Amino acid sequence: MRIDVLGAVRALRDDGSPVDLGGPRHREVLARLVAAEGRMVTTDTLVDDLWTDPPARAVGALRTFVGALRRALEPDRPPRTPPRVLVTEGPGYALRLPREDVDVHRFQDALARARRDPGAVGELAAALAAWRGPAYADVAGSAWARRERARLEEWRLEALELRARVLLDSGEGADLVAELGAHVAEHPWREPAWGLLARALHRAGRQADALATLRRARAMLADRLGLDPGAELRRLETEILSGAAPPGGVVWSGPGVALGPRTTVDLARTLALAGGDALVRSRRERLAAVRAAQRTGDLRLTARVIGAYDVPALWSRADDPEQSRAVVEAAERTLTGLGPDGPADLRARLLATIAVESRSADLSGAEPERALRAARQALALARDLADPALLVFALNGVFLQTFAHCGLAAERDAVGAEILDLATRHDLPNFAVLGRLVRLQSASALGDLDAAAEHAEAAERLAATTEAPLVPVLTGWLRARITAARSTEPGGPSAATAAQQYRTAEDALRTAGMPGLHRGLFPLALLGLRLLHDRPAPTDPRLDWGPYRPWAQPLVLLAQDRPAQARTALAAAPEPSLDHLQEAMWCLSARAAVRLGERAIAARAVAALRDARTEHAGAGSGLLTLGPVARYLVEAEALATAG
């Protein structure tokens, strides 16, 4: 059995003959389950997705469609034998097929592998060839299908460009001119596509046509969008004008560094500021560049490459801990090699890099003093050198090391204020955005909602000029957090309004390229909203609590009236990570300890939270709130000190 949705929805038997799936509704049910990628879809969700205005007997009709699909997909299944392909699971249905038997899943997996390994580009080409038209082409009117179609089309375009880039990097690609010309004509707003076409023309020996292509891109961007071409197009034009050989792995070895390690890391830095899939790519390119520089044996070059990636970092959990660990190790080896008499600016950048990349719990948790010491040393060197760009980078490292214990919002605000002042005076717009966001978080932690909103608006104004697409994603969460807090006030917005704002913010964050921030955040926000209104924790089994499960689970179990299991879960919960949400995790433990009468755990929470009495739990993230820490602290203190 094979199911295809990259085009009209169809199912094919092993011999290639088509399966009669029935009418449009039958095919849409199957397509919707394909889109869920093996996850269960509830009956209610399927009904809402199939009908704008569901009829009275919609559930019965859905069951009829499912029954017919089961007969079509498993015609030889004996009576009363459970289905193996379209299965009932909990309150809904799920499709159980190996990923290689569904064309869209093969495509997604091939793209993911090619992102990691350029050697997988052949597999990606085969997956691209399987597209027969727009995804879910015959489910045109459904909102869910429109969303999926848009998402998959963006990935298809990325795959086309990734395949071309890998071929060009490897020294091939002269025969891509016609394909890329058609791609640019159809998608003229995709700036990377213009660069790829110019590279293909240059590879084919058509330098004049390559330059004309870049100038058309420049004119289109300026005339229609009022934008200048990005750094990659400018660099490519300069290389062609200078008569350089076509870029393509002629100097540096290793995947992802065909332009040389320093140029590659500069490009990675630019990509990181763009967010989304570009952010994911930037991490891969950066590490490849660092490793290429190390292979040269040139310590100073390696130090410059490592330190050049001075991308503002706001969140205290790394999205890719393994990469962060590799970068920290490379920075420490290079720092040791340079020695204490090495160039002060290079040492400062290496130390700042160690402080920034050690922000995730699994890196700094074992030796927090090492990262904090690196941050302080970087700051001292940067102040002596009087280099504003270096100083704001060092301050970024200091900021990410101000989570040693709860209650440090005021200290972080001071760091944010200095970053903002320096960045404003010395025209460092990306760090001005960082300063605003740090101050937004601090104001949120201290309950100053008006100040937090002002910083959000200022950050958005800066983002509009610096092309920082992640900013409105974060400020959207801040506004949902404000609505949640004000939903407890007389005449304030309803809790349902706050929940809807959180859902909207979650949709924006899902594609922002920040998995270290995204996972588990939405359930935690809903839990905080319920606690604000003295309601039990959400118990929906579909919620992915991510890294926050150990601290949320006791309250979820209590909401399910399972106190014994809640007590076990509470006892097993570790101490929270030293990050933006540590106050929130301690408050969850405090609340569960009070409900279960666990005096020792309540006392530990009191000791951890005492310095944060004037702050709001979870609000230091700028993304959500559980309410004032004092609310949890008072009841935990009462239990901890009870006779």
Side-chain angles (χ1 to χ4, degrees), residues 216-482:
R216 286 204 315 275
R218 179 190 296 275
M220 186 274 298
L221 291 167
D223 293 345
R224 301 190 189 183
L225 300 179
L227 298 175
D228 291 325
E232 172 68 4
L233 292 188
R234 295 195 304 271
R235 178 203 57 76
L236 186 56
E237 186 172 19
T238 299
E239 288 186 359
I240 295 173
L241 285 168
S242 69
V250 295
V251 179
W252 304 98
S253 61
V257 290
L259 308 179
R262 180 56 194 266
T263 305
T264 297
V265 86
D266 285 341
L267 177 58
R269 183 181 183 279
T270 302
L271 288 169
L273 296 170
D277 287 343
L279 178 58
V280 176
R281 180 187 163 202
S282 79
R283 299 187 192 109
R284 181 179 67 246
E285 300 282 10
R286 178 214 188 168
L287 188 54
V290 169
R291 287 173 172 161
Q294 287 181 301
R295 286 195 294 271
T296 69
D298 186 332
L299 285 173
R300 295 194 179 197
L301 170 64
T302 303
R304 288 197 300 273
V305 168
I306 293 171
Y309 193 86
D310 54 352
V311 176
L314 180 71
W315 191 241
S316 51
R317 185 183 298 275
D319 288 317
D320 188 342
E322 289 186 9
Q323 193 228 51
S324 292
R325 187 178 298 106
V327 170
V328 168
E329 290 171 354
E332 289 179 332
R333 284 195 299 270
T334 306
L335 193 63
T336 300
L338 288 174
D341 297 324
D345 61 328
L346 295 183
R347 291 172 52 231
R349 284 195 171 271
L350 290 170
L351 289 162
T353 298
I354 292 167
V356 169
E357 295 299 332
S358 295
R359 63 190 184 270
S360 66
D362 63 338
L363 284 170
S364 60
E367 298 182 60
E369 286 302 318
R370 182 180 63 179
L372 180 59
R373 186 166 57 250
R376 289 172 174 166
Q377 290 173 346
L379 183 62
L381 285 168
R383 290 200 191 283
D384 288 343
L385 291 166
D387 179 343
L390 178 55
L391 184 52
V392 292
F393 185 36
L395 284 165
N396 196 172
V398 170
F399 160 71
L400 289 167
Q401 296 304 320
T402 56
F403 296 90
H405 58 81
C406 298
L408 293 175
E411 182 177 330
R412 288 194 287 276
D413 190 53
V415 175
E418 185 174 2
I419 290 174
L420 180 58
D421 175 63
L422 280 165
T424 302
R425 286 192 290 113
H426 297 283
D427 192 25
L428 301 167
N430 293 315
F431 278 96
V433 171
L434 174 67
R436 285 291 183 189
L437 293 176
V438 170
R439 300 210 68 192
L440 175 159
Q441 291 179 339
S442 304
S444 173
L446 296 168
D448 190 344
L449 302 184
D450 291 337
E454 289 175 6
H455 287 303
E457 291 170 4
E460 287 168 342
R461 288 194 296 271
L462 282 167
T465 60
T466 60
E467 299 181 30
L470 296 179
V471 170
V473 175
L474 300 175
T475 55
W477 276 91
L478 182 276
R479 292 192 173 91
R481 171 263 186 273
I482 291 174

Side-chain angles (χ1 to χ4, degrees), residues 53-132:
D53 184 14
R57 302 185 64 183
V59 173
L62 174 62
R63 289 174 179 154
T64 300
F65 300 151
V66 169
L69 283 169
R70 284 171 168 166
R71 289 190 294 274
L73 296 174
E74 295 185 75
D76 300 326
R77 178 168 57 89
R80 294 180 295 280
T81 301
R84 293 177 299 165
V85 177
L86 204 169
V87 302
T88 300
E89 185 176 291
Y93 303 100
L95 189 68
R96 294 283 184 260
L97 274 179
R99 290 183 66 83
E100 60 267 22
D101 292 340
V102 182
D103 63 350
V104 67
H105 299 161
R106 289 197 305 275
F107 167 72
Q108 289 170 309
D109 293 347
L111 177 56
R113 281 190 285 272
R115 285 169 175 160
R116 296 191 303 268
D117 176 13
V121 71
E123 181 185 352
L124 181 60
L128 280 166
W131 282 69
R132 297 168 290 114

Side-chain angles (χ1 to χ4, degrees), residues 23-34:
R25 293 293 191 198
H26 299 75
R27 291 196 301 277
E28 184 170 359
V29 170
L30 181 62
R32 180 64 184 85
L33 293 174
V34 167

Side-chain angles (χ1 to χ4, degrees), residues 155-178:
W155 283 357
R156 185 184 72 84
L157 297 178
E158 180 199 340
L160 285 169
E161 292 167 5
L162 175 59
R163 172 178 168 268
R165 184 180 304 111
V166 170
L167 290 173
L168 288 164
D169 285 349
S170 67
E172 303 176 28
D175 57 348
L176 291 172
V177 171

